Every structure is written in C-alpha cells, then in structure tokens.
Amino acid sequence: MAFPETHRSVVLAVRSPDAQERARALEAVASAYWRPVYRHVRYRWRAREEEAEDLAQGFFAAALEKGWLARYDPARGRFRSYLLACLEAYVANEKRAGRRLKRGGGAFRVPLEGTDADGEPRELQIADGTDLEAEFQREWARGLFALAVDALRARCAGTSRAVAFALFERYDLEDHDAASRPRYAELATEFSLPVTQVTNHLHWARRELRTTVLEKLRAITASEEEFRAEARALLGAEPS
Amino acid sequence: MLSDDALDRLRQVTQWPDLTGTRYELRGELARGGMGVVYVARDRELERDVALKLIAVEAADADTASRLRREARTMARLEHPGIVPVHDVGELADGRVFYAMKLVSGKRLDELVEGGLPLRERLRVLLRICEPVAFAHAHGVIHRDLKPENVMVGPFGEVLVMDWGVAKHRPEPPAASGEAPATASPAPHATAHGTIVGTPAYMSPEQARGDVERVDARSDVYALGAILYFMLAGRAPGRPPASPDAPTHTWVRPRSMGVAPGIAAPHELVPDLPRPLEAICLKALALEPERRYAGVARLRSRALSGRRARVRLSGRAAGPRPPFREPASNANRARARVRRHARRAAAGGAGVTW
C-alpha cells in the first residue's frame, strides 16, 4: 500500500468531500497504523492472531464507514492519541457485543511479516507493567521507518545509488552486535570502494532516509505543530 | 519488518547532526547525557579524531546554547592536564552550538570501581581528581557536578575531570590561593536562587536546597567526599543497597560530624575499611560547609596522609577498632576542650586544672 507522493496531510484528506480521496487517505493512514493497531489489540485485549487481524481490519473499515477520523480536531491533541482512543472504544464495543466478524473483503489488510508464517496463532509475550501507549508509539515509529526504508530502496534500485543502499542495508539495517558490525574498511574491501566513498554513501543514505521519514510524517500528521512535535520525538530533529 | 535493534539504530543515525560547512566528519556517537550528546568526528584539516559535544535537539534552546558555549570557554580557560582541552567552538547549519575537544580514551571511574579497581589505585585517582578541581577553584570556577561518571581514567593512568556544563564562575579570577572558600559572586549568567543543578547522590546539601549563594568550593569538597565514599563503600552515599541482603542504614555515624541523614558510615557497608580514610570521607560530607575541609587542597593532603596510614595499617590483625575521628578545626577543637572539661568538672574530678 503506497503512501501518496504528496506532502499534503492524509489525516486532513480523510475529511475530503470526494469519496475516492477519502478512501485513499484512509488507506494511507491504515498503512502507517495497521501494525500498531494490530499489536495493540493483541497486547491490550489479549486477542489471538486471527482475532486481532479481524479487529484491526474492522476498525479501519468502521473508521471509513462512520467517518470517525474525519471528526479529528488537531487542536485537541495528536492524531495518534485520537486514533488510539477510537480504537479502544471500537474494540471495547465489539467485545461487549461478542462480535468477531470478518470485515470488508480485506480492503485494509496489510500482511504482517513473521506473525503468520507458520500458520499457527501465537501469543505475544508482554511483560507486566508494559506501557501500552509507548508500545503503540514504538510500533508506529517502526511502521514509519519501514515505509521510508522501502521508499528509499525503490528510489535507489537500478540507479547509481544502488550501491549506497546496499551499504546502508549492510551496515545500518542488518542486525549485528557491536563486535560483529563490519568496519568501514571491511565494507570498502567488500564493495571494492575507497573508505571515503563508503563514508559518503552511508552519509547520503542516512540523510535521504531522514528526509523520507519526515515526508511520511508530514503526511500522517494534521498540523505543522503536530508534525514538529512528532519529528522531535521520533528523530530528535527540528525539521527544516 | 524492522527488528528492534534496526529501528533503534535507524533512529540514532537519522538523528546524527549535519556537519556540512564544518571541518568535521561524523564517525559515530560516543555518549549521551540528559542534555548533551558527544560524537566522535574526524577533523579533516588536522587529520585527527576529536570529540564533538552538542546539545540534543530536544533540549536545544537559547539557554542551553549559551550554557554549552560557557562550558567550552570554562574548559578553554582552565588549561590543566586534568581538564580536557577544547579545540574549537562553532555552530551547525541547524543553529546548534557545538564544541570540539580532545578525544579521550579510557574508562569512567564508576566503571573502574565497579570492575574492582584496587583501593590503592582508587585513592591515587582521588588525589589526581583533586588537582584540576583545586586549580579550577583557584581560578574562580566551581564544578558543581563532580561524580564518578564525570571522571575519566586514561590508559596511562591519566585522570581527567569532565563535564563542566554546570560550573559556577566568579567574574574575576581571585588570588590563586586554592584554599579560599569564598562564595562565587553572582555573574550575569549565574544560576538563579532556588535552581538545583548537579546529581542528587553527589550533591552538597546547599546545592540540593538550591541555596545558590552558599555554593562554593566546599560544595565541590562535599562531592569529592561523596566520590571517596563511592570508592570505599562501592555505592554513592545515601543510595539504597544494590542487593536486598546488604545492610541498610537510616542515620550516619559519627553523628557528631553532622553528616547528612541517610548516609551510612562506609565501614558499616565494608567492615575492614581503613578508618582514617572513612573519617576523611565523612568530614568532607559534613552537612554544614563550615564543618568540611576549607578547600580541596586540604582534603587532598589529608587523603594523602590517609593513604599512607592505610599502608601502615595493612597487615594489622582484624578486630574491634577504636573510633577514628578526623581532626576538627581550631574552633571546633576549642569547643570540644571546653565540653570535655565541663564534663570532668560536673563529675567532680579532683585536681583538674587548665
């Protein structure tokens, strides 16, 4: 599910009088929030995998149908907090009603890597006392960075920047412990480049990633103030 | 989907500052504190690695920017082997101030002590810490945040006092006495009364109260006493025990020294400690500045004697030991003499003359 290539806020676009634009905007919101919503349902409501998927799916469908997100008022707080409050109310209502319905033909279903690979429902492990709102925020950040990495990968593919992305993937994306993380000199040998080029490529890729994350962030925030506050929290950055 | 480690790393690398327009090239993050972040960077002009300190974006404002500049100037002014030299101050494209300093390799004192640094070596480090602090006092600068985490010990045993970000200044350098406990007079950038700066476990009572006017060299003496306490007892004064089995204390001995409540005497935590050192530590930790050493040089000379005493005491059979009390000041000594004679007179002691 692609993010719209625009800096316009999709959070505001969910109020558009144009039904198609509304649907596209909600799709973009769902792509950024699917995973945090799904995991929150699993953590907070102790839902099993399939049930959580249905509830997440149902939530986005109901949000479109009933215009919940269009009622968001940026003056009253962050969009993320509003969406979480809507989700809580929705799941509580569904649980009370004892419903567990398959929704809307998978319109907002986003595949979750690793959660259904073996086909068996798994319980997520969660420690007592976990701050669920912080967890929701972390998943939101993870989703946002993942979208930005995908966009960067797509932008570099087939261009002279492909090597920059390959270096970035090797050095920053792959999991290494401190001892096994490759040194710039080792990467230089591996990629047959001078060390200075390794430095330059990594610098470029990180800067591009930062720009892309900020673009995505601008799209899913409703006001300049919210955008800046989220950018500070996410990147420690005052966006330029 | 990104792993937790990858997410943390991406958040970190996208936070790295843009050094475009400077002579530095970022290499990595070195340390992160409450407000500041220290990076390793390459100075392209001089072809050497340096440490770059700047305020984290979330804490960046006009006040923290001026504080960082002040810290750089303080360190530049205090040219001493125990204080990291500052090479450069500048401003990034995003408006944040940074300064470049010598990249120090080594370990923090707290890590070394927790790693089992021998007592003799701990005392050597304490003596070395006293030197730049006394030097700073002689130049009208009070550190105000001395703690083991702010002391680096290099591979050749060199000791450096770091993080002068909350130092208090006198506008004009005083006479170089080193022992003058004179209160630093308010400067244009002085901390307002009631503002608390420092680290609670190592902070003097006057600092903890925000009694800025009373903060002077003896406040650093307190912090050095707290560092000695950490070296002897393995934890900061007043800090709860790390393990539930460790002894707990609610008051301090000897009470007559007027040490802050909640601080256990180190020997109660580590029974075979040399008592002279403990006495030095507790005197430095006195609640009232007047009851502490008047200056760092005095504390240092007492610690030096204490270290020698420790050597003399080593090998002595273990067993009950008499209380050891660090000599009081002349005034306190006179008061104690009066009390002693009064007690004897009250007891009807015959032939008492003085």
Side-chain angles (χ1 to χ4, degrees):
Chain A
M1 211 169 280
F3 244 84
E5 288 303 318
T6 168
H7 286 182
R8 185 172 170 208
S9 166
V10 293
V11 172
L12 296 181
V14 294
R15 295 183 203 163
S16 166
D18 180 343
Q20 279 194 336
E21 191 180 350
R22 271 203 314 274
R24 274 201 305 274
L26 188 71
E27 202 174 305
V29 170
S31 76
Y33 278 98
W34 170 270
R35 189 180 163 93
V37 162
Y38 165 83
R39 287 178 68 98
H40 183 78
V41 172
R42 292 203 66 184
Y43 284 148
R44 165 78 174 80
W45 296 92
R46 306 278 173 185
R48 295 176 79 80
E49 188 172 347
E50 196 184 328
E51 184 189 14
E53 281 198 46
D54 286 345
L55 285 165
Q57 172 80 7
F59 169 69
F60 286 112
L64 177 63
E65 202 177 292
K66 298 178 180 171
W68 291 336
L69 301 186
R71 289 203 284 274
Y72 164 64
D73 176 4
R76 298 182 65 181
R78 291 184 180 188
F79 178 72
R80 194 177 56 241
S81 306
Y82 175 76
L83 187 133
L84 187 57
C86 289
L87 174 65
E88 283 288 283
Y90 168 79
V91 179
N93 197 37
E94 290 293 294
K95 289 274 185 184
R96 252 198 315 275
R99 281 198 291 265
R100 195 191 139 205
L101 303 175
K102 297 275 183 187
R103 306 282 177 166
F108 302 110
R109 187 176 294 265
V110 175
L112 291 162
E113 289 171 29
T115 55
D116 55 358
D118 53 8
E120 291 294 319
R122 286 177 297 164
E123 290 298 336
L124 291 180
Q125 295 299 312
I126 182 162
D128 286 344
T130 300
D131 179 344
L132 292 174
E133 194 159 345
E135 191 61 32
F136 186 75
Q137 182 177 349
R138 185 166 175 81
E139 287 309 318
W140 170 79
R142 192 194 308 274
L144 199 64
F145 268 95
L147 286 168
V149 167
D150 288 346
L152 183 61
R153 182 185 286 114
R155 200 180 310 157
C156 294
T159 73
S160 59
R161 291 293 188 185
V163 64
F165 189 83
L167 280 162
F168 170 69
E169 196 162 36
R170 186 91 173 75
Y171 193 79
D172 285 334
L173 289 183
E174 286 178 10
D175 286 336
H176 301 280
D177 55 33
S180 69
R181 186 171 298 284
R183 294 177 167 277
Y184 281 17
E186 289 165 354
L187 289 177
T189 308
E190 188 181 326
F191 286 79
S192 305
L193 293 169
V195 176
T196 49
Q197 283 273 46
V198 172
T199 308
N200 292 343
H201 281 313
L202 282 174
H203 181 66
W204 177 86
R206 289 164 182 164
R207 200 181 58 216
E208 285 300 298
L209 181 73
R210 176 192 172 94
T211 306
T212 312
V213 166
L214 290 172
E215 279 170 17
K216 305 283 181 203
L217 187 61
R218 189 177 283 281
I220 56 161
T221 47
S223 66
E224 186 64 19
E225 192 186 357
E226 185 189 6
F227 168 60
R228 288 185 174 274
E230 292 286 25
R232 273 172 176 260
L234 194 66
L235 297 178
E238 188 62 48
S240 50
Chain B
M1 193 49 69
L2 300 169
S3 67
D4 281 347
D5 284 350
L7 176 61
D8 289 341
R9 181 156 181 84
L10 290 183
R11 288 179 77 159
Q12 188 187 58
V13 299
T14 46
Q15 278 185 35
W16 284 358
D18 181 2
L19 299 184
T20 310
T22 72
R23 59 200 261 190
Y24 306 102
E25 192 175 279
L26 206 62
R27 287 289 163 93
E29 189 174 310
L30 195 61
R32 183 172 283 266
M35 283 199 320
V37 192
V38 181
Y39 298 95
V40 181
R42 184 79 178 162
D43 181 339
R44 284 192 296 260
E45 294 291 328
L46 297 174
E47 296 185 341
R48 63 178 177 182
D49 287 340
V50 297
L52 276 192
K53 182 168 180 178
L54 58 153
I55 299 292
V57 178
E58 56 271 28
D61 57 26
D63 185 49
T64 51
S66 86
R67 182 162 278 187
L68 197 74
R69 280 188 191 278
R70 196 162 68 241
E71 179 179 1
R73 286 179 189 138
T74 301
M75 290 165 70
R77 189 169 127 199
L78 298 174
E79 283 187 62
H80 187 279
I83 297 171
V84 185
V86 168
H87 302 317
D88 185 18
V89 181
E91 209 172 297
L92 299 183
D94 66 7
R96 281 188 289 163
V97 174
F98 71 88
Y99 70 80
M101 61 184 151
K102 181 184 173 184
L103 180 64
V104 178
S105 59
K107 282 200 161 176
R108 293 196 329 239
L109 177 59
D110 57 315
E111 295 169 337
L112 288 170
V113 170
E114 280 154 14
L117 190 73
L119 183 58
R120 187 185 180 83
E121 183 58 12
R122 295 180 198 193
L123 296 175
R124 184 194 73 80
V125 172
L126 179 80
L127 296 174
R128 295 292 303 276
I129 300 169
C130 289
E131 292 164 10
V133 176
F135 179 82
H137 289 175
H139 287 77
V141 177
I142 297 152
H143 188 287
R144 294 202 293 186
D145 197 16
L146 293 170
K147 56 181 173 180
E149 292 87 337
N150 281 343
V151 175
M152 290 285 289
V153 181
F156 302 105
E158 64 272 33
V159 175
L160 291 145
V161 175
M162 319 286 288
D163 205 343
W164 296 76
V166 296
K168 184 180 179 182
H169 299 243
R170 266 193 296 240
E172 297 299 327
S177 71
E179 284 293 287
T183 305
S185 20
H189 47 251
T191 310
H193 184 87
T195 307
I196 299 166
V197 293
T199 304
Y202 294 89
M203 195 187 283
S204 67
E206 59 275 15
Q207 258 177 284
R209 285 193 304 269
D211 192 352
V212 175
E213 289 76 17
R214 287 204 79 193
V215 169
D216 61 25
R218 293 167 300 184
S219 307
D220 279 350
V221 167
Y222 182 96
L224 289 166
I227 291 175
L228 176 57
Y229 188 103
F230 173 76
M231 289 172 160
L232 297 176
R235 69 174 199 236
R239 187 157 281 183
S243 99
D245 302 331
T248 55
H249 302 269
T250 53
W251 65 283
V252 68
R253 265 167 272 170
R255 193 190 285 273
S256 61
M257 282 184 170
V259 181
I263 299 178
H267 81 267
E268 295 182 17
L269 305 169
V270 183
D272 55 350
L273 279 179
R275 298 296 277 274
L277 284 174
E278 177 177 273
I280 293 164
C281 169
L282 292 175
K283 182 172 169 71
L285 285 172
L287 196 57
E288 293 300 326
E290 295 74 20
R291 305 190 79 166
R292 297 176 207 146
Y293 297 104
V296 173
R298 181 72 185 146
L299 167 64
R300 187 182 181 282
S301 76
R302 297 303 303 149
L304 196 58
S305 317
R307 186 170 70 153
R308 289 187 191 122
R310 189 195 76 83
V311 174
R312 283 200 303 274
L313 283 167
S314 63
R316 186 182 286 183
R321 292 172 297 174
F324 188 97
R325 192 169 295 187
E326 178 62 359
S329 64
N330 287 341
N332 285 342
R333 206 174 287 133
R335 277 196 292 272
R337 198 185 303 137
V338 170
R339 277 199 302 274
R340 202 162 50 240
H341 285 292
R343 271 199 306 274
R344 284 180 190 162
V352 175
T353 55
W354 55 285

